[in-house]
Amino acid sequence: MTTSASVPTEPGDAMSNGGTVTDRLVEANGRYAAAFTDPGMDARPVLHVAVVACMDARLDLHDALGLELGDCHTIRNAGGVVTDDVIRSLTISQRALGTRSVVLIHHTGCGLESLTEEFRHDLEMEVGQRPAWAVEAFRDVEQDVRQSMQRVRTSPFLLHTEDVRGFVFDVKTGLLREIDPT
């Protein structure tokens, strides 16, 4: 597998000229935009599905799920945890943009398995202010998927809670393992 770290920078790239990673991304966007053609889509996902997943860089959701541009809404955060903000996004996705299914994807080897709420305490000590958000750390990835499914299924804001399924993505094999909600 090729990663950005293993791709040599071109002589004219921002990185080789002392630029930042953001400069490199903006340059890449310029090349992308030069060949870009408006696909003529709107914001409603073709498959009427929202995928909630961890932000881990090892998860290429579109490839792993066989998705194309426009197929789904993708909501990502640390751990793929269903937080109030995820419920906000799912509510907009369903009520304003027509999604009906929710797929939750956690993964093996998640960084949240090694954190605790002590992280918030340490942060408070460092910056002098306690974060309003919870870390949402967990020890059992399957149980956290179940908890996330339950949060979606019981939200009063969501219209469609009958097709909510949860999975653990194995970062070594690329396979999804479905988690029984009970």
Side-chain angles (χ1 to χ4, degrees):
M1 168 187 257
T2 302
T3 65
S4 293
S6 64
V7 177
T9 56
E10 297 297 320
D13 282 353
M15 295 285 289
S16 62
N17 293 328
T20 67
V21 171
T22 303
D23 293 332
R24 177 180 171 188
L25 299 176
V26 171
E27 285 181 14
N29 175 256
R31 292 186 297 276
Y32 171 81
F36 183 77
T37 304
D38 179 2
M41 304 175 180
D42 68 14
R44 294 175 179 274
V46 173
L47 299 178
H48 306 287
V49 63
V51 177
V52 178
C54 185
M55 66 187 190
D56 191 295
R58 296 172 290 180
L59 277 66
D60 183 345
L61 293 174
H62 276 74
D63 257 3
L65 301 175
L67 296 168
E68 299 293 330
L69 182 67
D71 281 349
C72 73
H73 285 160
T74 306
I75 304 162
R76 295 182 80 159
N77 67 20
V81 177
V82 175
T83 61
D84 286 345
D85 193 59
V86 168
I87 293 294
R88 178 187 71 87
S89 294
L90 287 172
T91 300
I92 293 166
S93 177
Q94 287 189 358
R95 291 180 176 265
L97 298 165
T99 60
R100 298 177 142 322
S101 300
V102 178
V103 173
L104 305 170
I105 301 177
H106 286 35
H107 65 91
T108 58
C110 184
L112 281 188
E113 291 176 293
S114 62
L115 289 177
T116 66
E117 289 299 319
E118 188 69 20
F119 180 85
R120 288 176 71 215
H121 174 72
D122 294 346
L123 196 54
E124 179 182 13
M125 302 286 41
E126 180 182 330
V127 302
Q129 182 178 343
R130 187 165 186 83
W133 39 263
V135 174
E136 296 277 356
F138 53 85
R139 294 278 180 251
D140 181 338
V141 68
E142 291 185 12
Q143 183 54 37
D144 202 65
V145 170
R146 286 185 194 94
Q147 177 176 298
S148 290
M149 284 190 282
Q150 185 65 15
R151 286 179 178 175
V152 171
R153 288 189 172 127
T154 59
S155 173
F157 306 110
L158 298 175
L159 295 171
H160 307 288
T161 58
E162 53 284 338
D163 188 14
V164 178
R165 293 172 65 185
F167 301 85
V168 173
F169 176 87
D170 187 313
V171 298
K172 301 280 188 217
T173 68
L175 290 172
L176 288 175
R177 180 171 35 90
E178 188 158 8
I179 303 303
D180 185 337
T182 57

